[in-house]
Amino acid sequence: IEPDTFIVVNTNWIALAGIHDIYVQIDPQNEVEELDEENNLSYTTCYVVPDLFIDSTGIAFNNENPLVGDTVLISAAIYNTGSVPASDVKVVILDGSPDDSLSQVIDTCSIPQIEPSSSATVQANWLSHYGRHSIYIQVDPDNEIIEPVEDNNVAFRSIEVLPDLGIDTSSISFEVITS
């Protein structure tokens, strides 16, 4: 190699699923006289794993303006942006944050498999009750699936449930008062 130049070396590798540290070493026998022998070894981590992902745009309600007591169908798209399939993916749907002990679990689902660069949808029915609700979807809640990024496994959307106040005209009556 000429001074102040570099060469590119390529190799093929059949990667197995998992996390791999790939090392590259030059001049392993120290046969080349050089200024610094300590910079001849380097590595990078290669993730051959699924990467599950959800965001708020993937959460939908079949009724955006439910009344108290309406059943709302919640749908959530779960993506695998990784390089291998994700199997037995657990998903929890909650009314409230997973970090809040007062949150209520609406449903727990399991997706058998999500292929790389694809998605799967989970659904749950929720009986609405008065107030503003943050509906959370938590993917792989127990961190059983090894992923390069774990902080993209929770998303939420808010929904407000209002009462329906109304008057039935048959319930209106008049009383004549004479003095």
Side-chain angles (χ1 to χ4, degrees):
I1 303 173
E2 294 297 317
D4 294 325
T5 64
F6 66 91
I7 63 169
V8 176
V9 177
N10 294 310
T11 187
N12 291 323
W13 168 52
I14 298 173
L16 300 175
I19 300 173
H20 308 278
D21 289 335
I22 308 298
Y23 286 84
V24 176
Q25 184 174 18
I26 56 173
D27 191 26
Q29 305 300 321
N30 292 325
E31 295 172 358
V32 176
E33 188 176 332
E34 57 182 307
L35 240 106
D36 184 0
E37 296 285 345
E38 299 299 314
N39 63 357
N40 291 354
L41 178 67
S42 188
Y43 80 96
T44 188
T45 302
C46 176
Y47 295 92
V48 185
V49 294
D51 187 14
L52 301 170
F53 172 80
I54 184 167
D55 68 4
S56 61
T57 63
I59 303 171
F61 307 120
N62 73 329
N63 182 352
E64 297 283 339
N65 300 299
L67 301 175
V68 172
D70 284 353
T71 298
V72 177
L73 179 66
I74 302 166
S75 300
I78 315 300
Y79 300 91
N80 178 5
T81 60
S83 54
V84 295
S87 299
D88 299 319
V89 179
K90 291 185 180 79
V91 180
V92 179
I93 302 169
L94 304 114
D95 183 358
S97 169
D99 298 327
D100 184 349
S101 63
L102 298 177
S103 294
Q104 294 183 348
V105 174
I106 296 169
D107 202 356
T108 301
C109 312
S110 183
I111 303 168
Q113 186 159 307
I114 308 174
E115 293 297 324
S117 302
S118 63
S119 66
T121 301
V122 295
Q123 294 184 319
N125 285 312
W126 173 61
L127 184 61
S128 66
H129 52 282
Y130 180 75
R132 184 165 183 79
H133 302 269
S134 295
I135 304 299
Y136 276 78
I137 311 298
Q138 184 178 27
V139 181
D140 189 28
D142 301 320
N143 291 323
E144 294 174 345
I145 299 172
I146 297 171
E147 303 175 69
V149 181
E150 294 284 353
D151 63 0
N152 59 1
N153 289 2
V154 177
F156 75 94
R157 273 200 58 209
S158 294
I159 188 168
E160 190 164 12
V161 181
L162 299 173
D164 183 22
L165 302 177
I167 298 174
D168 183 354
T169 56
S170 65
S171 66
I172 300 172
S173 61
F174 297 95
E175 182 179 326
V176 177
I177 302 176
T178 58
S179 45

